[in-house]
Amino acid sequence: MEKWLMLAVSLSLVGVQVNCRRLTNAQIWGFDWKNCGKPDDPAVLKALALSPDPIAIPGDLTASASGATSVELAAPLSVNVTLEKEVAGFWVKVPCVDEIGSCHYQDVCDILNHLIPPGQDCPEPLHTYGLPCRCPFKAGSYSLPQSNFDLPDVDLPYWLTNGNYRVQGVLGGGGKELGCLKLALSLHSN
C-alpha cells in the first residue's frame, strides 16, 4: 500500500515545477478511493483513511493505509495517469503538461530514486515503521498505522487550484497490468 501512497505523494511532488503559482490555504473535500483493476491484479490497496476532511494545504494530515502485492514490484514500473477535472458539470481530461496531468511515467522507480536517493533513509513515518520508499517492493503486505504528516505550501499550476478531480493510475511492469487505483477529490483555495 505505502507504495501507492508514496507514488501519489511522489507524483504530486514531481509535478510541482516551474510556471506555477503559489497555493495557500487550499482545501480538499470529499476524498474517495477504490481499486479499479482486474480481480487478479497483484497490487491492491486494502484500506486508506485520510483526515481531516477537508484537508488543508498547508496543514496537518492524518493517514493510515494498507495494501499488498503478490509479486515483487521492481524497475521498470510504469504508471499511466489519467487526470480529469469537472468543468461546467462535464469531466474533461487534463492533458499532460510539464509532466503534470494525464501522463505516462515510464519508470516510477527512477522518479522515486530522484526524490529519495539510494542510501538515504526513507522519510518519516515510513522509516519508523520499516516501510520501503523505493524499488524493489517485495511481495507481501504493507501497513501504515495512523500517522501524522505536515503538508507544506505547494506550488501548483493555476489550473489545478480549484475544482473537482478524478485521478486513475494504472501500474504496469513486464507488459502486464499490476494494479489500478482511482481517487476522487475536490481542491479549493481561498
Side-chain angles (χ1 to χ4, degrees):
M1 164 349 279
E2 84 292 332
K3 74 174 180 355
W4 286 108
L5 180 59
M6 278 304 297
L7 176 60
V9 171
S10 298
L11 291 178
S12 296
L13 294 175
V14 166
V16 188
Q17 298 176 10
V18 215
N19 299 322
C20 299
R21 98 177 152 113
R22 186 59 125 178
L23 178 67
T24 56
N25 297 323
Q27 296 181 320
I28 299 172
W29 280 276
F31 177 79
D32 192 24
W33 70 273
K34 71 176 183 175
N35 290 300
C36 51
K38 299 174 213 132
D40 60 346
D41 277 355
V44 295
L45 187 63
K46 294 181 178 180
L48 177 60
L50 300 176
S51 67
D53 189 6
I55 297 169
I57 302 173
D60 296 319
L61 172 71
T62 301
S64 63
S66 66
T69 178
S70 60
V71 299
E72 181 177 82
L73 302 175
L77 282 177
S78 67
V79 174
N80 194 27
V81 175
T82 302
L83 175 64
E84 297 175 305
K85 181 176 183 177
E86 186 179 25
V87 178
F90 296 96
W91 288 101
V92 178
K93 184 176 178 181
V94 176
C96 185
V97 177
D98 293 330
E99 296 193 18
I100 303 172
S102 298
C103 302
H104 178 76
Y105 302 94
Q106 291 186 351
D107 191 3
V108 176
C109 296
D110 188 50
I111 294 170
L112 290 173
N113 283 338
H114 280 85
L115 291 171
I116 308 159
Q120 182 177 328
D121 285 343
C122 291
E124 291 299 338
L126 300 179
H127 181 72
T128 295
Y129 296 113
L131 297 172
C133 59
R134 64 182 69 79
C135 300
F137 296 93
K138 296 179 181 177
S141 294
Y142 295 93
S143 180
L144 176 68
Q146 187 172 350
S147 302
N148 296 319
F149 297 87
D150 179 39
L151 300 177
D153 280 342
V154 178
D155 288 335
L156 289 174
Y158 71 91
W159 43 266
L160 278 181
T161 57
N162 288 295
N164 297 319
Y165 296 91
R166 296 190 304 203
V167 182
Q168 176 175 299
V170 179
L171 181 67
K176 298 178 183 177
E177 180 178 309
L178 301 173
C180 179
L181 183 65
K182 284 187 179 183
L183 302 171
L185 58 90
S186 296
L187 181 62
H188 298 276
S189 61
N190 297 331

